[in-house]
Amino acid sequence: MLTPELLPRLQQLLADADLDGWLLYDFRGTNAIAAGLLGFGGLCSRRVFAFIPREGLPIGIQHAIEPGPWKHWPKAWPLRVYSGWRALEAEVAALVNGKRVAMEYSPGDAIPYLDRIPAGVLELVRASGATVVSSGELVSQVYATWTPAQLAGHQRAAEHIAGIARDVIHHAGVLAAAGTPAAEHELQQRILEAFARVGLETDHGPDVAASENAANPHYVPSASRPRLVQRGDVLLVDLWAKEPGGIYADQTWMGSLGTPSDKVVQVWEAVRDARDAALALLHDRIAAGELVRGGEADDAARDVITARGYGKDFWHRTGHSIDSRELHGSGPQIDNLESRDDRVLIPGVGFSIEPGVYLVGEFGVRSEVNCFVGEDALIITPNDIQRELFVV
């Protein structure tokens, strides 16, 4: 959150980027980045702006009937009040006229997670005499990075989750071998109960998907349409959770109930090797102190799967940002498919690596780990990632 303590660092970043300021905008939660930085809670039903200048104090623009969202705004910082549109536009123009400002804008909507400013607001700001550039790098540096304490909490959650995933795959195999197979939703419940025992929380899920259901990347098991997990099935377990107030850990593990077919092994090896190709690129570039971008890691993983003949069956980006507020965050994405994310993976950001192959009507395979960019090293969680398909 924007505080007097954070302000000097942020203003140095603005100076380094040759920006006159960062203009934040929100209306009814359309810009979660702005709301998060301003510490807003609940619905903001009127337009708000806040200008963070390269020098001097930030200035907020508040609607007269809605002071509530500004309760965390420092009293020493100016807060201008408007009620009509003419006054609002005049206040915006007074702040940005002739200035080069950053906003949550992505040219051509190249990065949807960053593109939070409506076209009309962009027009208004430009008509006020401002030059608008993307705030993408600022978002990475200020909004998306983790603290050391958050990294430690994420690592603890990751180890718990890894153990829970292995347990549920083993449990499914034992029940199937005994002739009493569990349904997907029952295995899902076992995971949720395990989360509760170790003090983890999640907002939804997890995903437990057998064979043909695993070919749907956003499958959700349900008691209303139970699917037993039986001998011969491929089992995908995708689970995510965090310590209260912490950073999510997000992993996908794969099992085979009985000896897998040659095709299943072939697909598993393609996905695993794609994951490892992305990890190797990131590890080598970061260790060498070289810049690396999320889209490059996506390309590295996708090249492996394409070379194995499954390129058309890898439908999604290789990974998503995990920031300090959201599982699917606003920092750099590992993506050169769904979007053109050319943001640098800077120290302090976290993300998933999760290539997958989905053969509709047959089975799906995905392998997911998480990464954190240290000052000179790539940190991967969990400590022991899946190397071979679990056969149970």
Side-chain angles (χ1 to χ4, degrees):
M1 193 172 73
L2 178 61
T3 62
E5 293 73 26
L6 176 62
L7 184 59
R9 175 173 171 246
L10 179 49
Q11 290 181 321
Q12 184 59 57
L13 293 172
L14 291 170
D16 293 343
D18 193 26
L19 291 167
D20 295 306
W22 188 353
L23 183 63
L24 300 172
Y25 166 84
D26 190 29
F27 173 66
R28 298 179 65 85
T30 55
N31 187 355
I33 295 169
L37 285 171
L38 295 172
F40 286 177
L43 182 65
C44 186
S45 70
R46 299 297 193 274
R47 289 177 289 176
V48 298
F49 287 88
F51 184 63
I52 307 166
R54 182 162 64 184
E55 297 178 351
L57 297 176
I59 300 170
I61 304 178
Q62 167 211 317
H63 193 277
I65 71 168
E66 203 163 52
W70 295 90
K71 61 184 178 182
H72 297 298
W73 189 254
K75 295 188 184 306
W77 294 357
L79 188 57
R80 299 175 181 172
V81 179
Y82 79 97
S83 57
W85 63 267
R86 294 176 182 84
L88 173 62
E89 293 183 8
E91 292 286 6
V92 171
L95 289 178
V96 303
N97 184 35
K99 294 182 172 65
R100 187 168 182 265
V101 302
M103 297 187 76
E104 284 67 71
Y105 151 68
S106 179
D109 193 38
I111 307 172
Y113 275 86
L114 178 63
D115 208 23
R116 310 293 185 109
I117 303 299
V121 173
L122 196 60
E123 290 173 352
L124 184 156
V125 174
R126 286 174 170 161
S128 299
T131 298
V132 179
V133 302
S134 174
S135 65
E137 298 299 341
L138 293 172
V139 170
S140 295
Q141 294 165 312
V142 175
Y143 183 88
T145 52
W146 305 0
T147 66
Q150 288 172 328
L151 171 60
H154 166 85
Q155 291 172 309
R156 290 190 295 269
E159 295 310 310
H160 282 308
I161 285 174
I164 291 167
R166 291 190 291 263
D167 166 78
V168 80
I169 292 173
H170 175 75
H171 180 70
V174 168
L175 292 182
T180 57
E184 294 166 328
H185 71 277
E186 293 171 328
L187 297 173
Q188 179 192 56
Q189 185 59 38
R190 182 181 180 89
I191 293 171
L192 292 172
E193 291 169 356
F195 285 172
R197 284 196 299 273
V198 296
L200 298 181
E201 61 184 28
T202 187
D203 58 348
H204 67 290
D207 178 10
V208 177
S211 295
E212 74 284 353
N213 291 335
N216 176 358
H218 281 174
Y219 177 72
V220 179
S222 172
S224 64
R225 52 176 193 283
R227 166 50 158 100
L228 295 179
V229 181
Q230 306 185 75
R231 301 292 289 176
D233 276 330
V234 174
L235 181 61
L236 181 152
V237 177
D238 183 7
L239 66 175
W240 52 93
K242 63 178 181 175
E243 296 180 347
I247 301 284
Y248 272 101
D250 185 12
Q251 301 167 18
T252 305
W253 296 76
M254 296 300 308
S256 175
L257 277 68
T259 303
S261 68
D262 290 344
K263 187 174 185 179
V264 168
V265 172
Q266 182 183 62
V267 173
W268 159 253
E269 290 180 347
V271 169
R272 176 201 62 196
D273 293 350
R275 177 201 70 194
D276 290 349
L279 293 175
L281 173 75
L282 294 167
H283 172 274
D284 293 349
R285 296 275 284 276
I286 292 167
E290 299 174 355
L291 296 182
V292 62
R293 304 174 192 276
E296 294 177 289
D298 184 43
D299 288 342
R302 201 166 303 280
D303 286 349
V304 172
I305 289 177
T306 299
R308 305 288 176 89
Y310 294 105
K312 64 181 177 55
D313 304 303
F314 182 12
W315 305 333
H316 57 70
R317 62 193 172 191
T318 292
H320 58 82
S321 164
I322 304 173
D323 67 26
S324 60
R325 296 165 177 83
E326 296 180 277
L327 173 59
H328 292 85
S330 298
Q333 313 291 317
I334 311 304
D335 189 8
N336 194 28
L337 175 74
E338 299 179 44
S339 65
R340 303 182 298 278
D341 203 324
D342 60 357
R343 286 177 287 177
V344 174
L345 298 173
I346 63 171
V349 299
F351 48 88
S352 71
I353 295 290
E354 49 180 306
V357 169
Y358 308 98
L359 305 179
V360 177
E362 296 183 65
F363 62 90
V365 172
R366 183 167 65 252
S367 181
E368 180 181 12
V369 298
N370 299 158
C371 297
F372 175 82
V373 180
E375 288 298 330
D376 56 4
L378 180 72
I379 297 172
I380 302 169
T381 63
N383 290 326
D384 296 319
I385 66 177
Q386 187 173 4
R387 303 293 180 185
E388 301 297 336
L389 192 66
F390 293 146
V391 179
V392 294

